[in-house]
Amino acid sequence: MMPHLARIEEIVAETASGDVKTFRVQFLDPETSFSHLPGQCAMVSVLGVGEAMISISSSPTRPRPLELAVKQVGRLTARLHEMEPGDVIGVRGPYGNHFPFEDMKGKDLLFIGGGIGLAPLRSLINYVLDNRGDYGKIDIIYGARSPGDLCFKRELYDVWPLAPDTRVLLTVDRGDEEWKGAVALVPHFLEQVHPEPEGKLAITCGPPIMIKFTLESLKKLGFADEQIVTTLELKMQCGIGKCGRCNIGSRYVCLDGPVFTLAQLETMPAEY
Amino acid sequence: MRRLERKDMRAFLDKLASAASLVAPVREDGVVVFRPVSSGEQVVLDYVNPVRSAKELFFPQTEVMFRFLPSPVAGITPVQPDRQTVLFGIRPCDLAALSLLDEVFLGGDYRDACWARRRELTTLVGMACEQPDESSCFCTAFGITPGTADGADIMLYPAGEWLGVEVLTPRGQALLDRVLSDGAVALGEIGPPGAASQAGAGGGAGEAGDRLQQEYLKRPVRLGDRLRVGDLAKELDDRFDDPYWEEASRRCLGCGICTYLCPTCHCFLVTDVPKRDDGVRLRCWDSCQFKDFLLMAGGHNPRPTKKERTRQRFMHKLNYFVHRYGRYLCTGCGRCVQHCPVGLDMATVIADLRGVSEHV
Ligand SMILES: Cc1cc2nc3c(=O)[nH]c(=O)nc-3n(C[C@H](O)[C@H](O)[C@H](O)COP(=O)(O)OP(=O)(O)OC[C@H]3O[C@@H](n4cnc5c(N)ncnc54)[C@H](O)[C@@H]3O)c2cc1C
Ligand code: SF4
Ligand code: SF4
Ligand code: FES
């Protein structure tokens, strides 16, 4: 449980309010062995405060700097948000399983993200786009409370839509004067977009309430449990199956997750 | 097996204390606990089991993992224990508990350095149970017995005026060699005078030792013998939604005593203690019975009521852990039976779940 020291190189405010920031970090020791897969997480230390589990939002195809998108919700994340380029944090990992990017080959992919939930999806999206030939059509449905709350705007507007056979479909709960796009909750918007389940995998991540209704919408649209992939979030302390914090029945989210198919979730107690 | 005269026990303990730092059962404010001791005088031998288990020697209630200098200087120095220790008087149930925690801390892809280090540094001198507690010990429910020596380096079997001494590992042998080196304490042979010469041929001494061991392995444990768990883990696969959990949980106070005293509970939290210029990162025991154990931002709590928390404690030990590691996460040590203020203990719950009466 010893973190590697890493220096913050650059900080990008993702949202208008600044409550989500991306931290680009480099390990102080360039020899640090740390190679992740899309969907894996890292335990991030602010020395003097503690640790928090954060998804790695950069793609393994672009391994350094490591990118971590963090929403300010409490003690540690607040301290992290006060830090500046040059500050040093701790990082250990990578932990957890990963999105089934091998099984996804040849399939059409439907990404459905909400708010900060786009962070882990972004790792997979960029991985898939860097291996574009291996995958079918890509639809990225993404929503946030307001236009200012959309994360990763540069990629949403200027990068992903330009990739071959790739659509980015945005929605917000509440628009503003300039917003010309959809105004709807993600699950409703998903039903309006009405994707066909054939040959497709849906990968969804976001706040628990969004995931809950998105899963229902996907079922309504005819997606089978095996075609739906999501991630779970539980409180964590160790990230490696020791601290007894993150179990759901006999599974540990930190070891066996955070990525689960809906088919797997159906076999687990609904205690999350 | 060799023979240690009871009258030599104090001298034997003194030698252990001079060979390494010795931790042994002592009586403190009327209760028996494991404590560092400097001489055999301080050690109690008439105990059933220390109130607090042996786990805290390897997984302290509060443990410094490393010292740090905060950003922007930033540095990390691991804190590693380095003292050779002898733990004297550990019972079979606590020995089994250590091997269960080995599964957690050493198993899988991640080896816990703190636990591993303390395990390596510690020689275990086990003590078979002459008199299991009538109303709380139930190790036999899980196939452990008053004589089970698995995991010990040396095992002692009390036999009236003397104790049988069985060496089980090279580490145990090395310790014993040091204790006996200056001749102040000597071990004798078991069995009738003259049997020693036949021992090598599998004669009297060996047989007498085996008999003593067998007697311990078969010693009755009243409560455990009634509660044998059998296929309980499998039965529980379908009992997540059993109304029993709600019913049982009503009397829980959420005090966490059960988890703190339990030799197999291992939940911890990680916290930093900053000082003026540096600080330490600690891990501290935590309890799944506390209501904020899983509380998350926005107030979401996956186990919001006592029902879910009680179910978690017992399902973890009797079902989830079995799925993961193939063993029950309870050794029948009886501490929760003795100390849960409301009687919501493992023996009671097993009896309830299996529909057997716990009381004869
Ligand atoms: C697998 C996984 C991946 C994650 N990925 C990301 C990510 O990419 N980006 C991101 O910003 N966050 C992510 N999180 C959530 C992140 O770990 C928490 O937001 C963080 O631990 C909060 O720490 P804090 O010290 O700032 O808050 P605290 O001060 O610990 O908590 C603030 C408030 O929320 C409660 N709380 C306690 N635990 C948590 C918790 N785990 N999450 C939220 N609130 C909690 C507290 O009781 C308090 O009231 C992820 C979590 C998991 C398990
Ligand atoms: S659950 Fe009770 S009896 Fe079982 S090991 Fe823990 S304290 Fe001992
Ligand atoms: S089961 Fe008993 S010992 Fe454990 S928390 Fe509840 S009241 Fe306390
Ligand atoms: S975070 Fe410690 S067991 Fe999963």
Side-chain angles (χ1 to χ4, degrees), chain A residues 45 48 87-88 237 242 245, chain B residues 71 110 270 272 281 286 324:
Chain A
S45 286
D87 268 320
V88 177
Q237 293 288 320
K242 316 286 189 211
R245 183 80 43 164
Chain B
S71 180
Y110 304 96
V270 174
D272 284 4
R281 175 159 298 169
D286 202 352
R324 218 170 169 94

Side-chain angles (χ1 to χ4, degrees), chain A residues 1-3 5 7 45-51 73 83 86-88 94-95 233-235 237-238 240-245 247 249-252 255-256 269-272, chain B residues 66 68-72 74-76 78 104-105 107 110 240 266-270 272 274 281 283 286 292-297 300 302-303 308 311-312 316 320 323-324:
Chain A
M1 296 182 55
M2 303 292 289
L5 295 176
R7 176 164 283 117
S45 286
V46 174
L47 297 170
V49 183
E51 289 187 302
V73 297
M83 288 185 139
D87 268 320
V88 177
Y95 294 138
E233 210 176 282
L234 227 60
K235 209 164 163 173
Q237 293 288 320
C238 72
I240 51 176
K242 316 286 189 211
C243 78
R245 183 80 43 164
N247 76 295
S250 59
R251 322 257 186 137
Y252 279 117
L255 292 176
D256 308 319
E271 201 172 65
Y272 47 85
Chain B
F66 57 79
F68 62 78
L69 294 169
S71 180
I76 288 175
V104 174
F105 285 115
Y110 304 96
F240 186 82
H266 58 271
C267 289
F268 62 80
L269 59 82
V270 174
D272 284 4
R281 175 159 298 169
R283 68 173 173 196
D286 202 352
D292 59 358
F293 186 74
L294 273 192
L295 184 64
M296 295 194 283
H300 176 59
R303 292 187 210 121
E308 293 86 20
R311 177 171 60 196
Q312 164 65 18
H316 182 213
Y320 306 157
H323 276 286
R324 218 170 169 94

Side-chain angles (χ1 to χ4, degrees), chain B residues 66-131:
Chain B
F66 57 79
R67 294 182 182 286
F68 62 78
L69 294 169
S71 180
V73 185
I76 288 175
T77 321
V79 174
Q80 284 252 325
D82 55 7
R83 293 178 66 146
Q84 292 283 346
T85 302
V86 172
L87 173 58
F88 174 88
I90 180 172
R91 297 293 191 189
C93 52
D94 278 11
L95 283 168
L98 292 182
S99 85
L100 285 163
L101 293 185
D102 281 345
E103 306 263 16
V104 174
F105 285 115
L106 306 179
D109 293 338
Y110 304 96
R111 192 180 152 82
D112 187 82
C114 303
W115 174 270
R117 183 90 186 122
R118 287 198 161 83
R119 288 286 272 143
E120 279 156 20
L121 287 168
T122 308
T123 308
L124 299 172
V125 181
M127 181 73 86
C129 305
E130 241 177 323
Q131 229 161 26

Side-chain angles (χ1 to χ4, degrees), chain B residues 87-356:
Chain B
L87 173 58
F88 174 88
I90 180 172
R91 297 293 191 189
C93 52
D94 278 11
L95 283 168
L98 292 182
S99 85
L100 285 163
L101 293 185
D102 281 345
E103 306 263 16
V104 174
F105 285 115
L106 306 179
D109 293 338
Y110 304 96
R111 192 180 152 82
D112 187 82
C114 303
W115 174 270
R117 183 90 186 122
R118 287 198 161 83
R119 288 286 272 143
E120 279 156 20
L121 287 168
T122 308
T123 308
L124 299 172
V125 181
M127 181 73 86
C129 305
E130 241 177 323
Q131 229 161 26
D133 187 66
E134 277 280 302
S135 57
S136 64
C137 289
F138 65 106
C139 56
T140 49
F142 297 100
I144 303 160
T145 78
T148 305
D150 297 348
D153 296 297
I154 296 175
M155 193 71 181
L156 303 178
Y157 298 89
E161 289 303 292
W162 54 278
L163 298 97
V165 181
E166 172 95 344
V167 175
L168 292 134
T169 65
R171 182 161 69 179
Q173 187 63 53
L175 176 67
L176 195 60
D177 289 346
R178 254 184 300 159
V179 167
L180 303 178
S181 62
D182 68 356
V185 185
L187 298 185
E189 301 303 329
I190 301 176
S197 53
Q198 302 154 27
E207 266 174 33
D210 287 349
R211 263 204 308 282
L212 178 60
Q213 216 167 8
Q214 281 305 318
E215 200 191 300
Y216 270 103
L217 291 174
K218 296 202 183 104
R219 194 161 287 222
V221 178
R222 197 192 63 93
L223 187 53
D225 295 345
R226 288 187 56 75
L227 287 178
R228 302 205 180 266
V229 286
D231 271 350
L232 182 58
K234 213 167 155 37
E235 290 164 30
L236 289 178
D237 280 346
D238 301 322
R239 294 179 70 174
F240 186 82
D241 293 317
D242 196 313
Y244 174 72
W245 302 120
E246 158 89 56
E247 218 176 281
S249 74
R250 281 195 201 123
R251 58 188 195 265
C252 178
L253 307 172
C255 65
I257 290 174
C258 49
T259 51
Y260 273 58
L261 296 182
C262 178
T264 66
C265 277
H266 58 271
C267 289
F268 62 80
L269 59 82
V270 174
T271 184
D272 284 4
V273 182
K275 309 242 176 73
R276 185 191 288 264
D277 298 316
D278 59 354
V280 288
R281 175 159 298 169
L282 306 176
R283 68 173 173 196
C284 310
W285 294 356
D286 202 352
S287 173
C288 62
Q289 300 305 290
F290 295 156
K291 70 175 187 303
D292 59 358
F293 186 74
L294 273 192
L295 184 64
M296 295 194 283
H300 176 59
N301 191 340
R303 292 187 210 121
T305 75
K306 288 193 283 191
K307 169 184 134 187
E308 293 86 20
R309 297 193 285 272
T310 296
R311 177 171 60 196
Q312 164 65 18
R313 171 165 157 77
F314 292 102
M315 283 294 274
H316 182 213
K317 290 178 179 297
L318 298 174
N319 178 269
Y320 306 157
F321 196 87
V322 182
H323 276 286
R324 218 170 169 94
Y325 297 104
R327 302 164 66 185
Y328 287 98
L329 187 65
C330 170
T331 67
C333 77
R335 288 184 178 89
C336 58
V337 184
Q338 286 194 328
H339 298 286
C340 171
V342 298
L344 181 55
D345 57 76
M346 188 54 95
T348 301
V349 168
I350 291 175
D352 287 351
L353 288 169
R354 306 206 54 213
V356 298

Side-chain angles (χ1 to χ4, degrees), chain A residues 12-21 71 114-116 118 142-154 156-157 170-183:
Chain A
V12 182
E14 297 290 353
T15 54
S17 68
D19 67 340
V20 177
K21 289 180 181 174
K71 182 170 169 134
I116 179 80
L118 189 57
Y142 177 50
R145 273 170 311 177
S146 72
D149 288 313
L150 294 165
C151 298
F152 311 113
K153 291 193 188 60
R154 195 180 69 85
L156 287 177
Y157 293 123
L170 302 177
T171 180
V172 293
D173 301 354
R174 274 174 287 102
D176 57 20
E177 308 81 67
E178 281 159 42
W179 182 254
K180 304 229 165 39
V183 178

